[in-house]
Amino acid sequence: MIDALERIVDVAGLLTGTDIGPRYLNARGHGVAGTPLCVLRPKSTAEVSEILKLCHARGQAIVPQGGMSGLVGGGVPLGGEVVLSLERMIKIEEFDADGRTLTVQAGVILQTAHEYCEARGFMLPLDLGARGSATMGGVISTNAGGVRVIRYGMMRESVLGLEVVLADGTIISSMNKMLKNNAGYDLKHMFIGSEGTLGLVTRAVCRLRAKPKSVNTAFAGIDKFDDVVAFLGHLESTLGGELGSFEVMWSSYDQFVRERCPSLRPPLNAGRGFYVLVETLGNDPSADVAKLESILAESMEKGLVADAAVAQSEQQRAAFWAIRENAGEGFRTLGPICSYDVSMPIRSMGQFGEHITQSISTAYPGATTLVLGHMGDGNLHVVAAVGLGTPAARKQVNDIVYGVIRDLGGSVSAEHGIGTEKKDYLSWSRTPEEIALMRTLKRALDPKGILNPGKVL
Ligand code: ZN
C-alpha cells in the first residue's frame, strides 16, 4: 500500500513511523488516537483523486485532516487508516472584488483568508476562537459556526461553490460563483458539515461581504433570563440588522472568571444573573457608538439592563472578548472537564441552565457547571467539572445534559459536529428515519465505507 502511495505524492508528501508527529494524532481528550498506516500530504486535487482511487480499490480507510482544531474527534485516526492532511494545499487561487468571491484550496488557514480579505476591504464572516489553526476545508467539512452566526449564518451560508473528491476518486468540481443557482440539486450542501464522511473538500468558492466600517462592543449585566431575551429582541429591532454578536455568560461563568482567571478583567461588577457581550457591525463610524450607547441607555430605563459598559478602545474591546474566549487558564484548574455544544429554542435556555446545573450538582455535589454561549443563535456551551474523568462519570453527565436537550427538542451538536464524541447521542436529536436517510446517502457515496469510518454515523 505504502509503495503504491509513494508513487502518487512527492517525498515530503508521505510520512510513516516516527515521522508522524503528534499534530496528526491530536486526540484533544477524545480518547487515545490509534496509529495510522501513514500520513499523506498531497499538493493538488489530482493527487487526492489518485490517492482515493487507490484506497477505494483496496478498501483502505482514510481520515481527512485540516487544522486539527475540531472538538469532537472527527479528524483523529482510530488505527490503521491513511491520514490525508490537506495542509499543503494552501493556495488562495482567486479574489473577485466585483463578484465578492474568494477561491481557496482546502488547506488555507482561516486567519490567512481573513487577513487577505480584510486587506482588500472585504470580510469572510466566519470567525471563531481557533482561527489561527482551523483550515477552510475543515470549517466547511464541519459547517463551523462561531461568533458572528447571528448576522451572517454558519459556514454553509458563505460557501458558493465546492470541489470535492468522492470515495472512488471522482472529482466533483462544482465551483459555482453565483448567489443564485437552482439548476438541480445543490450538491455542495451534502458535503458541508458531513465531517469528511461523504467526500473530501479540496477547493471552495467563498462568499465575501463588505468589511464593516465600525465595530462597537458592549458588556451588559442583566438580572433575569426573560430580560436577556427581551434585550436581544430590542437589539434586533432597533439595530436594523447591525447586530454582529450576542454572547451570554451565566453568573456561574462570571464567578468562575473572577476566581480562576486572574488575567481577565470583567468590566462590570459581580452579582448579576447574566452578562451579555454585544457587538455591532455598522457603517457609520461617527454615529454608531452613540447609537449603541443610546440603545443601552434606553434598555436601562426600561429596566431590561441593570449595568453596561461600552468599549472605548480596541484594547478594551479585546479585553471584553477575552472574557468570553480566553478562560482556558481557569478551565485547566478544574481537572477533567466535560464540554458541550448544544442548541435549543432561545426561550428554553433559562430553564435548561437551571435544570442541568441542579441535576449535575445533585449527582456530584461540589461540581462546577458553567453555561455560556452564542445565545442569539440558540447555541449554548456547557463546561462541567465533576471531579472525575472516568468514562462512567462522563456518560452520566452526558446523559443528564443530552437528556434535557432531548426533552426540549434541541440538538446534541449546534456547531462542533458529531465526530466520535457524540455518535452515541445522534439518535437523541435525530429521528430513526433521518438517520436511515443519512445511512442511505453514506452507502450511495461511499459503498466501501472508507471515508472517515467510525465518525458521525
Ligand atoms: Zn461556539
Side-chain angles (χ1 to χ4, degrees):
M1 185 72 201
I2 289 181
D3 285 350
L5 289 167
E6 222 167 25
R7 287 192 283 274
I8 300 173
V9 292
D10 63 14
V11 178
L14 174 67
L15 308 175
T16 54
T18 51
D19 288 344
I20 301 175
R23 157 181 177 74
Y24 305 101
L25 308 173
N26 182 359
R28 285 184 171 264
H30 305 288
V32 178
T35 306
L37 179 68
C38 62
V39 172
L40 294 175
R41 305 160 71 229
K43 291 183 83 171
S44 66
T45 303
E47 285 183 7
V48 174
S49 168
E50 287 305 310
I51 292 166
L52 281 164
K53 269 182 206 160
L54 180 68
C55 291
H56 189 254
R58 302 193 183 191
Q60 168 63 49
I62 286 178
V63 183
Q65 288 187 353
M68 293 302 271
S69 51
L71 296 167
V72 292
V76 176
L78 302 176
E81 306 98 324
V82 165
V83 166
L84 207 157
S85 169
L86 283 297
E87 68 188 325
R88 290 208 295 170
M89 291 184 58
I90 53 171
K91 268 193 221 107
I92 293 182
E93 294 183 344
E94 194 198 50
F95 163 72
D96 177 351
D98 299 324
R100 298 186 168 201
T101 62
L102 184 75
T103 304
V104 294
Q105 287 188 323
V108 171
I109 303 283
L110 178 60
Q111 188 167 342
T112 307
H114 279 173
E115 285 164 6
Y116 184 94
C117 296
E118 276 164 30
R120 288 157 182 80
F122 288 86
M123 79 184 291
L124 178 70
L126 181 90
D127 195 17
L128 35 78
R131 62 185 74 80
S133 53
T135 62
M136 296 305 293
V139 295
I140 292 169
S141 302
T142 55
N143 186 30
V147 292
R148 284 178 178 161
V149 173
I150 192 171
R151 172 83 177 264
Y152 299 104
M154 294 179 71
M155 190 58 202
R156 190 182 294 287
E157 316 300 325
S158 293
V159 180
L160 294 175
L162 204 59
E163 180 182 84
V164 293
V165 180
L166 301 183
D168 66 0
T170 305
I171 299 170
I172 305 289
S173 205
S174 183
M175 298 290 276
N176 168 69
K177 290 185 168 177
M178 291 86 75
L179 256 182
K180 289 184 165 179
N181 185 345
N182 271 349
Y185 301 155
D186 199 339
L187 298 171
K188 64 178 179 284
H189 288 303
M190 200 158 54
F191 301 100
I192 301 171
S194 73
E195 301 180 51
T197 61
L198 299 180
L200 259 63
V201 174
T202 44
R203 293 160 69 223
V205 181
C206 299
R207 178 185 180 190
L208 304 182
R209 316 295 176 110
K211 187 178 152 188
K213 293 192 178 71
S214 79
V215 177
N216 288 290
T217 311
F219 225 80
I222 297 180
D223 288 322
K224 295 200 305 281
F225 181 77
D226 287 350
D227 290 341
V228 180
V229 178
F231 181 49
L232 172 61
H234 185 60
L235 288 170
E236 297 252 30
S237 63
T238 48
L239 278 168
E242 289 179 4
L243 183 60
S245 300
F246 190 88
E247 300 285 317
V248 179
M249 291 148 271
W250 265 239
S251 60
S252 54
Y253 182 78
D254 177 66
Q255 237 171 33
F256 158 82
V257 163
R258 287 171 203 270
E259 285 165 14
R260 309 265 189 140
C261 306
S263 72
L264 302 179
R265 302 254 174 277
L268 304 179
N269 289 333
R272 302 291 169 199
F274 302 88
Y275 291 86
V276 184
L277 190 156
V278 173
E279 190 158 272
T280 63
L281 305 171
N283 282 309
D284 189 349
S286 62
D288 288 338
V289 189
K291 184 161 147 194
L292 178 58
E293 282 170 349
S294 82
I295 292 171
L296 286 168
E298 203 186 332
S299 303
M300 287 173 85
E301 274 165 34
K302 283 185 171 178
L304 293 180
V305 170
D307 195 4
V310 176
Q312 301 298 323
S313 64
E314 183 52 38
Q315 201 184 354
Q316 267 187 3
R317 175 179 172 256
F320 285 12
W321 273 106
I323 292 168
R324 167 66 182 85
E325 289 187 331
N326 301 350
E329 57 176 327
F331 293 149
R332 282 188 286 275
T333 69
L334 289 174
I337 56 175
C338 305
S339 58
Y340 300 93
D341 155 48
V342 292
S343 60
M344 71 206 80
I346 287 173
R347 65 176 178 283
S348 304
M349 289 181 162
Q351 183 197 344
F352 168 79
E354 277 173 36
H355 196 137
I356 59 155
T357 304
Q358 254 170 33
S359 304
I360 294 172
S361 291
T362 305
Y364 295 93
T368 302
T369 303
L370 309 173
V371 183
L372 71 159
H374 322 290
M375 192 184 126
D377 315 331
N379 175 193
L380 292 180
H381 294 309
V382 175
V383 173
V386 301
L388 291 170
T390 59
R394 286 185 187 280
K395 184 181 180 306
Q396 192 178 1
V397 184
N398 287 349
D399 287 357
I400 290 172
V401 175
Y402 294 139
V404 179
I405 285 297
R406 183 175 52 188
D407 295 345
L408 292 171
S411 172
V412 298
S413 174
E415 59 178 1
H416 295 169
I418 295 295
T420 49
E421 180 91 333
K422 300 180 180 182
K423 243 178 80 165
D424 293 347
Y425 294 93
L426 183 63
S427 65
W428 292 37
S429 44
R430 293 291 190 195
T431 64
E433 293 78 12
E434 284 176 306
I435 292 172
L437 180 54
M438 289 182 199
R439 289 192 196 284
T440 302
L441 280 172
K442 173 71 177 171
R443 274 196 303 274
L445 287 166
D446 181 17
K448 294 187 174 180
I450 63 166
L451 295 180
N452 219 2
K455 316 291 168 61
V456 185
L457 287 173

